[in-house]
Amino acid sequence: MRQIAVYGKGGIGKSMISSHISFAFANSGLRVLHLGCDPKHDSTRLLLAGRIPHAILDILRKVDFETRKVALEDVVLESTLNDTVPGQLFCAESGGPEPGAGCAGKGVTEAIRTLAKLDAHNKLELDAILYDVLGDVVCGGFTMPIKRGHAKEIYIVTSGEMQSLFAACNISKAVARFAQRSGVRLGGIVGNLRNMENEREVLERFAARLGTQIIGFVPYSEKIKAASGRGETLFQYAPDSPECEAMQQLADNIYNNKLMTIPEPMSFDELHHWWQAN
Amino acid sequence: MRQIAVYGKGGIGKSMISSHISFAFANSGLRVLHLGCDPKHDSTRLLLAGRIPHAILDILRKVDFETRKVALEDVVLESTLNDTVPGQLFCAESGGPEPGAGCAGKGVTEAIRTLAKLDAHNKLELDAILYDVLGDVVCGGFTMPIKRGHAKEIYIVTSGEMQSLFAACNISKAVARFAQRSGVRLGGIVGNLRNMENEREVLERFAARLGTQIIGFVPYSEKIKAASGRGETLFQYAPDSPECEAMQQLADNIYNNKLMTIPEPMSFDELHHWWQAN
Ligand SMILES: Nc1ncnc2c1ncn2[C@@H]1O[C@H](COP(=O)(O)OP(=O)(O)O)[C@@H](O)[C@H]1O
Ligand SMILES: Nc1ncnc2c1ncn2[C@@H]1O[C@H](COP(=O)(O)OP(=O)(O)O)[C@@H](O)[C@H]1O
Ligand code: SF4
Ligand SMILES: [Mg+2]
Ligand SMILES: [Mg+2]
């Protein structure tokens, strides 16, 4: 089973990109679970026709965390796109506590625990699980996919902007930290472009400096905004567009990826100097 | 003593804006401590001529957390701008652990604890303390200024973009949650503009919907980027510019602010609907 996690700074485009990857995998015949690991619990929105599902943490709270009162179909939904793909596309959201009410990553911890208890991987006969994880802080439940090896391949979404490169460095540090223990590796950088000057070049050099690759570029596109506004992926909204082709290419590159590395991360100072040199 | 915290989504402009406020306060005669509460520990950079100081957490680690081995001058630096102001401007940075090595907010907890043990507020005869706090997650050490009432007035930096409004909602929720217990209040929204359509209007309505005010607007400005690039505030780089005037106005508005409220936050769903209606 492919165990993939997509990380990146909040707002950088993780959910948009990861939901396209999940769709493309199911469209090539795989049985895929897409698990949103962001307190916003909106990662699966484009796979549920714009609907935002209940979060596992909220479902658990309603039963006082007695997992035996929860059924698999309470926490995992079939995508509304299921009839359109040869594979299977399942959706779940971890959720998170109210701000100020405990560790923001608690939803991720509980969701992973609950899916394990419900034996989801076997019951759903999964070929792939894709975690979409908040990457602004790499701690608490947000490290679980990396630290415990629930994800074996990490892909980091970033633009050429300093703030998202800094988050990418932090995520890489966590991967390097746990690589030996959990078998996790960095699979590549997804360059989600923001129309900066020389952005592709900057991102290529950044990936090289980290000891990884660009696994794909996604152009900045009004079509992407429009499709998201309608609760659709590009595969529904604009299947013949170049942006949709870029998404298919990205998914194929991930599907066929053999370059899994232990990153060589930069400290904040080194990133600062690297940035100014580039 | 004024106890102020500036929160907002990572990268939204908290450190740039808060360091200008700290300077303006010292420039009007106050004795100010500016405490950076972001693992990046670069909040005081513009007050230290571009230098990034040691973080309190790193200093504590070197002495195995035996606070008695730490002196006040190890953790608090005088700003390089001190000779240019009638008041006093002190700088400190909390820092944070390595990614994946524990709670990202731990630096904030330890810094606040250490400054209390060293009796910083009295030793430095402070008139004001300004916390610059990461607001992507409102948990762990990042809630301390709100939860424990170390800050009594919260100002939230946001643009008109959905992602930063969402963070502003989360921060407001935490303020509402602890308002009774700790006496913390929302002092206002700082609109850090990104040249979006109708952005000022959207922000005015957002502030009204939360039950607060816009405490000031900051224009998007290449001068701000240039000054930051040189490790300077606008007060050094372009003191006669309209953007510097906007900063002075913002600092004055905060200084004179009497409107402290308990916010009425929106859920994620409500924000989504509000956003689409606006
Ligand atoms: N390449 C792009 N072109 C246009 N809009 C984009 C692009 N990538 C992301 N977006 C938009 O940016 C917003 C944030 O994306 P999202 O995937 O929700 O971020 P995250 O999950 O990282 O918080 C969404 O409205 C999305 O449609
Ligand atoms: N109004 C603005 N105009 C131009 N650049 C800005 C503005 N506000 C912030 N910036 C720039 O954006 C970057 C991020 O700002 P910073 O204060 O470090 O964010 P935060 O502390 O919230 O992470 C800095 O390079 C800063 O100079
Ligand atoms: S571990 Fe991370 S997510 Fe959990 S409380 Fe600490 S900062 Fe928040
Ligand atoms: Mg998301
Ligand atoms: Mg900052």
XYZ file of all heavy atoms in Angstrom, chain A residues 9-11 40 42 45 52 98-104 134 136-139 142-143 163 166 170 173-174 177-178 268-269 272, chain B residues 9-11 40 42 45 52 98-104 134 136-139 142-143 163 166 170 173-174 177-178 268-269 272:
480
model
N 3.062 24.798 4.040
C 2.546 25.928 4.823
C 1.036 26.080 4.610
O 0.531 25.812 3.524
C 3.271 27.191 4.358
C 2.879 28.437 5.110
C 3.833 29.567 4.830
C 3.289 30.823 5.495
N 3.056 30.641 6.954
N 0.340 26.519 5.649
C -1.110 26.711 5.531
C -1.450 27.672 4.416
O -0.888 28.758 4.335
N -2.370 27.264 3.549
C -2.807 28.131 2.468
C -2.000 28.003 1.205
O -2.322 28.650 0.196
N -9.006 22.723 9.948
C -10.043 23.262 9.068
C -10.950 22.195 8.458
O -12.011 22.499 7.926
C -9.365 24.005 7.901
C -9.438 25.505 7.973
C -9.223 26.139 6.634
C -7.765 26.006 6.195
N -7.605 26.351 4.763
N -11.296 20.682 5.663
C -11.908 20.940 4.356
C -11.101 20.326 3.223
O -11.269 20.689 2.068
C -12.048 22.449 4.130
C -10.682 23.137 4.021
O -9.655 22.518 4.377
O -10.649 24.304 3.597
N -13.081 18.530 0.323
C -14.217 19.298 -0.207
C -14.413 19.095 -1.711
O -15.547 18.970 -2.194
C -13.982 20.782 0.100
C -15.211 21.652 0.061
C -14.883 23.080 0.497
N -14.051 23.768 -0.496
C -14.519 24.360 -1.590
N -15.824 24.361 -1.828
N -13.715 24.941 -2.439
N -18.369 19.908 3.177
C -17.321 19.718 4.191
C -17.843 18.701 5.213
O -18.825 18.962 5.907
C -16.943 21.052 4.855
C -16.262 21.957 3.820
C -16.000 20.816 6.039
C -15.854 23.320 4.320
N -11.217 23.144 19.446
C -11.427 24.586 19.386
C -10.102 25.284 19.710
O -9.321 24.795 20.530
C -12.480 25.002 20.417
C -13.904 24.741 19.989
C -14.260 25.527 18.731
O -14.225 26.774 18.762
O -14.549 24.889 17.708
N -9.847 26.423 19.095
C -8.608 27.149 19.420
C -8.522 27.437 20.919
O -9.487 27.865 21.534
C -8.745 28.448 18.624
C -9.610 28.095 17.471
C -10.574 27.081 17.995
N -7.341 27.164 21.483
C -7.138 27.371 22.908
C -7.612 26.217 23.767
O -7.481 26.249 24.993
N -8.151 25.172 23.121
C -8.687 24.049 23.908
C -7.818 22.809 23.784
O -8.324 21.713 23.760
C -10.113 23.737 23.468
N -6.531 22.956 23.716
C -5.652 21.801 23.680
C -4.841 21.763 22.391
O -4.929 22.654 21.557
N -4.080 20.690 22.230
C -3.152 20.546 21.115
C -3.906 20.561 19.788
O -4.813 19.764 19.582
C -2.387 19.230 21.273
S -1.155 18.951 19.994
N -3.504 21.448 18.875
C -4.195 21.557 17.593
C -4.077 20.268 16.793
O -4.903 19.990 15.928
C -3.630 22.728 16.778
N -1.307 19.825 7.735
C -0.867 21.184 8.027
C 0.626 21.181 8.371
O 1.086 20.332 9.132
C -1.681 21.701 9.213
C -1.431 23.110 9.766
C -2.739 23.695 10.286
C -0.408 23.115 10.877
N 2.546 24.251 9.185
C 3.065 25.479 9.775
C 3.863 25.188 11.044
O 4.829 25.874 11.350
C 1.913 26.422 10.132
C 1.131 26.819 8.897
O 1.679 27.550 8.071
O -0.011 26.348 8.759
N 3.397 24.195 11.808
C 4.172 23.707 12.944
C 4.296 22.209 12.750
O 3.360 21.558 12.261
C 3.478 23.993 14.297
C 3.519 25.480 14.619
C 2.062 23.478 14.325
N 5.456 21.673 13.054
C 5.640 20.237 12.857
C 5.817 19.636 14.243
O 6.934 19.403 14.706
C 6.831 19.929 11.931
C 6.740 18.498 11.419
C 6.862 20.888 10.750
N 4.685 19.408 14.908
C 4.698 18.948 16.292
C 3.347 18.322 16.596
O 2.435 18.375 15.787
C 4.963 20.116 17.239
S 3.873 21.531 16.965
N 0.564 16.564 14.198
C 0.986 16.846 12.826
C 2.275 16.121 12.458
O 2.584 15.961 11.282
C 1.131 18.358 12.595
C -0.130 19.135 12.906
C -0.133 20.099 13.908
C -1.309 18.886 12.221
C -1.299 20.804 14.224
C -2.479 19.590 12.529
C -2.461 20.538 13.526
N 3.034 15.667 13.452
C 4.231 14.865 13.140
C 3.915 13.388 12.966
O 4.764 12.641 12.476
C 5.290 14.893 14.274
O 4.639 14.652 15.515
C 6.058 16.177 14.296
N 8.455 32.515 2.935
C 7.686 31.941 4.045
C 7.359 30.466 3.805
O 7.401 29.657 4.734
C 6.386 32.726 4.234
C 6.571 34.175 4.636
C 6.834 34.358 6.119
O 6.579 33.461 6.924
N 7.358 35.508 6.497
N 10.534 28.360 4.051
C 10.887 28.136 5.451
C 10.095 26.972 6.039
O 10.643 26.096 6.715
C 10.662 29.411 6.262
C 10.968 29.244 7.713
C 12.278 29.091 8.144
C 9.950 29.210 8.656
C 12.570 28.914 9.497
C 10.231 29.039 10.008
C 11.542 28.889 10.426
N 11.375 23.285 7.550
C 10.968 22.686 8.832
C 10.449 21.270 8.650
O 10.767 20.366 9.425
C 9.878 23.533 9.484
C 10.438 24.726 10.209
O 11.642 24.824 10.422
N 9.570 25.643 10.582
N 13.272 18.969 8.010
C 14.009 18.654 9.234
C 13.341 17.500 9.973
O 14.011 16.611 10.496
C 14.046 19.871 10.163
C 15.057 20.906 9.775
C 15.126 21.984 10.858
C 16.090 23.081 10.460
N 16.149 24.123 11.504
N 12.016 17.538 10.040
C 11.298 16.466 10.738
C 11.493 15.137 9.996
O 11.689 14.092 10.621
C 9.818 16.812 10.863
N 14.867 13.881 10.757
C 14.938 13.454 12.153
C 14.429 12.024 12.342
O 14.966 11.265 13.132
C 14.099 14.418 12.991
C 14.213 14.235 14.462
C 13.337 15.230 15.224
N 13.639 15.154 16.631
C 14.592 15.846 17.250
N 15.312 16.708 16.553
N 14.825 15.679 18.541
N 13.372 11.664 11.624
C 12.715 10.367 11.876
C 12.988 9.324 10.792
O 12.480 8.204 10.878
C 11.202 10.572 12.020
C 10.832 11.392 13.223
C 10.222 12.631 13.088
C 11.121 10.943 14.512
C 9.890 13.408 14.205
C 10.799 11.704 15.629
C 10.195 12.934 15.483
N 17.582 27.993 9.715
C 16.942 29.246 9.331
C 17.977 30.238 8.792
O 17.757 30.903 7.772
C 16.191 29.833 10.537
C 15.502 31.136 10.243
C 14.723 31.292 9.101
C 15.630 32.213 11.101
C 14.091 32.496 8.823
C 14.986 33.419 10.836
C 14.235 33.559 9.700
N 19.132 30.320 9.447
C 20.216 31.190 8.971
C 20.673 30.810 7.566
O 20.837 31.665 6.699
C 21.428 31.083 9.904
C 21.325 32.088 11.048
O 20.476 33.014 10.942
O 22.076 31.957 12.032
N 18.233 31.815 4.996
C 18.325 33.258 4.796
C 19.449 33.593 3.823
O 19.266 34.347 2.859
C 18.602 33.931 6.136
C 17.729 35.132 6.361
N 17.701 35.831 7.550
C 16.837 35.760 5.570
C 16.832 36.806 7.463
N 16.293 36.799 6.277
N -1.701 35.160 11.194
C -1.195 34.027 10.414
C 0.296 34.231 10.101
O 0.748 35.359 9.922
C -1.991 33.955 9.106
C -1.606 32.804 8.208
C -2.605 32.588 7.109
C -2.079 31.522 6.171
N -1.795 30.261 6.901
N 1.038 33.127 10.042
C 2.474 33.209 9.742
C 2.700 33.896 8.412
O 2.084 33.522 7.417
N 3.566 34.890 8.402
C 3.914 35.565 7.161
C 3.046 36.754 6.834
O 3.279 37.445 5.840
N 10.758 30.983 14.650
C 11.730 31.620 13.734
C 12.642 32.627 14.444
O 13.651 33.052 13.883
C 10.958 32.385 12.651
C 10.946 31.709 11.298
C 10.627 32.696 10.194
C 9.178 33.132 10.283
N 8.916 34.310 9.407
N 12.874 35.789 14.744
C 13.400 36.921 13.978
C 12.558 38.176 14.159
O 12.652 39.113 13.374
C 13.471 36.557 12.487
C 12.079 36.331 11.893
O 11.092 36.210 12.663
O 11.969 36.271 10.650
N 14.430 41.598 14.588
C 15.497 41.850 13.612
C 15.614 43.334 13.225
O 16.718 43.873 13.078
C 15.217 41.000 12.357
C 16.395 40.744 11.457
C 16.018 39.781 10.340
N 15.123 40.409 9.378
C 15.532 41.198 8.386
N 16.801 41.462 8.211
N 14.641 41.740 7.565
N 19.838 38.643 14.071
C 18.850 37.754 14.705
C 19.456 37.218 16.007
O 20.469 36.521 15.984
C 18.454 36.605 13.750
C 17.681 37.192 12.559
C 17.598 35.565 14.472
C 17.230 36.194 11.524
N 13.516 22.139 17.713
C 13.664 21.649 16.350
C 12.337 21.028 15.906
O 11.624 20.431 16.710
C 14.756 20.565 16.290
C 16.160 21.121 16.276
C 16.397 21.983 15.045
O 16.327 21.462 13.914
O 16.646 23.190 15.213
N 11.993 21.150 14.614
C 10.746 20.532 14.158
C 10.733 19.043 14.469
O 11.722 18.345 14.264
C 10.770 20.767 12.647
C 11.592 21.994 12.478
C 12.636 21.933 13.546
N 9.608 18.568 15.003
C 9.495 17.156 15.361
C 10.058 16.829 16.730
O 10.008 15.669 17.161
N 10.596 17.836 17.422
C 11.221 17.565 18.725
C 10.397 18.122 19.869
O 10.945 18.612 20.839
C 12.629 18.151 18.753
N 9.093 18.071 19.765
C 8.257 18.523 20.875
C 7.383 19.692 20.478
O 7.387 20.138 19.338
N 6.647 20.207 21.429
C 5.669 21.266 21.205
C 6.346 22.519 20.649
O 7.267 23.055 21.258
C 4.959 21.580 22.522
S 3.672 22.834 22.376
N 5.843 23.003 19.512
C 6.461 24.173 18.879
C 6.351 25.405 19.777
O 7.135 26.346 19.658
C 5.806 24.460 17.523
N 3.059 33.827 16.921
C 2.586 33.015 15.800
C 1.120 32.643 16.031
O 0.743 32.257 17.134
C 3.451 31.759 15.719
C 3.162 30.707 14.644
C 4.477 30.040 14.224
C 2.222 29.624 15.156
N -0.854 30.648 13.625
C -1.385 29.600 12.738
C -2.086 28.516 13.530
O -3.058 27.923 13.077
C -0.240 28.965 11.937
C 0.439 29.983 11.058
O -0.199 30.414 10.083
O 1.573 30.372 11.372
N -1.547 28.217 14.713
C -2.232 27.319 15.647
C -2.308 28.076 16.967
O -1.373 28.815 17.312
C -1.476 25.988 15.849
C -1.553 25.125 14.601
C -0.046 26.216 16.243
N -3.421 27.939 17.637
C -3.562 28.664 18.904
C -3.636 27.612 19.999
O -4.702 27.231 20.455
C -4.796 29.579 18.902
C -4.691 30.614 20.023
C -4.940 30.310 17.578
N -2.449 27.116 20.383
C -2.357 26.013 21.332
C -0.971 26.037 21.946
O -0.115 26.819 21.545
C -2.612 24.678 20.624
S -1.593 24.443 19.163
N 1.714 29.035 22.487
C 1.205 30.175 21.730
C -0.073 30.749 22.345
O -0.433 31.892 22.066
C 0.977 29.797 20.257
C 2.220 29.268 19.587
C 2.254 27.967 19.085
C 3.369 30.045 19.489
C 3.400 27.459 18.490
C 4.532 29.545 18.902
C 4.541 28.249 18.406
N -0.766 29.969 23.185
C -1.941 30.522 23.877
C -1.576 31.254 25.156
O -2.423 31.958 25.705
C -2.930 29.430 24.348
O -2.192 28.390 24.990
C -3.737 28.872 23.211
N -7.464 33.041 3.970
C -6.602 32.258 4.871
C -6.234 33.050 6.125
O -6.183 32.507 7.218
C -5.321 31.831 4.143
C -5.546 30.904 2.970
C -5.725 29.452 3.386
O -5.398 29.069 4.500
N -6.245 28.636 2.494
N -9.292 33.502 8.355
C -9.555 32.276 9.110
C -8.683 32.213 10.362
O -9.165 31.904 11.455
C -9.335 31.050 8.223
C -9.540 29.755 8.950
C -10.815 29.361 9.337
C -8.467 28.940 9.281
C -11.022 28.173 10.031
C -8.662 27.748 9.971
C -9.935 27.374 10.353
N -9.721 32.188 14.429
C -9.219 31.246 15.437
C -8.657 31.971 16.650
O -8.884 31.587 17.792
C -8.120 30.361 14.833
C -8.687 29.206 14.043
O -9.886 28.922 14.111
N -7.851 28.548 13.281
N -11.395 33.338 18.685
C -12.050 32.295 19.479
C -11.303 32.073 20.783
O -11.909 31.913 21.845
C -12.088 30.976 18.702
C -13.166 30.882 17.665
C -13.212 29.475 17.086
C -14.242 29.394 15.989
N -14.329 28.015 15.446
N -9.984 32.067 20.691
C -9.185 31.864 21.906
C -9.370 33.039 22.867
O -9.477 32.851 24.083
C -7.718 31.665 21.548
N -12.645 32.687 24.516
C -12.614 31.563 25.448
C -12.037 31.948 26.802
O -12.494 31.492 27.843
C -11.772 30.446 24.826
C -11.775 29.172 25.581
C -10.892 28.126 24.878
N -11.093 26.843 25.492
C -12.054 25.972 25.155
N -12.861 26.259 24.155
N -12.182 24.830 25.791
N -11.005 32.796 26.795
C -10.291 33.084 28.050
C -10.580 34.467 28.619
O -10.021 34.833 29.657
C -8.779 32.921 27.823
C -8.380 31.509 27.505
C -7.824 31.188 26.270
C -8.572 30.489 28.428
C -7.473 29.884 25.969
C -8.224 29.182 28.132
C -7.676 28.874 26.904
N -15.973 28.128 11.263
C -15.411 28.026 9.920
C -16.522 28.112 8.865
O -16.393 28.810 7.867
C -14.625 26.719 9.786
C -14.006 26.517 8.425
C -13.318 27.543 7.792
C -14.116 25.299 7.768
C -12.751 27.363 6.529
C -13.543 25.113 6.517
C -12.868 26.149 5.900
N -17.630 27.432 9.104
C -18.774 27.493 8.177
C -19.299 28.914 8.019
O -19.554 29.375 6.907
C -19.925 26.611 8.700
C -19.787 25.177 8.222
O -18.969 24.940 7.300
O -20.477 24.307 8.771
N -17.062 30.996 5.966
C -17.222 30.630 4.565
C -18.408 31.356 3.944
O -18.311 31.944 2.870
C -17.440 29.114 4.464
C -16.605 28.468 3.397
N -16.571 27.120 3.187
C -15.776 29.003 2.461
C -15.759 26.845 2.175
N -15.264 27.964 1.730
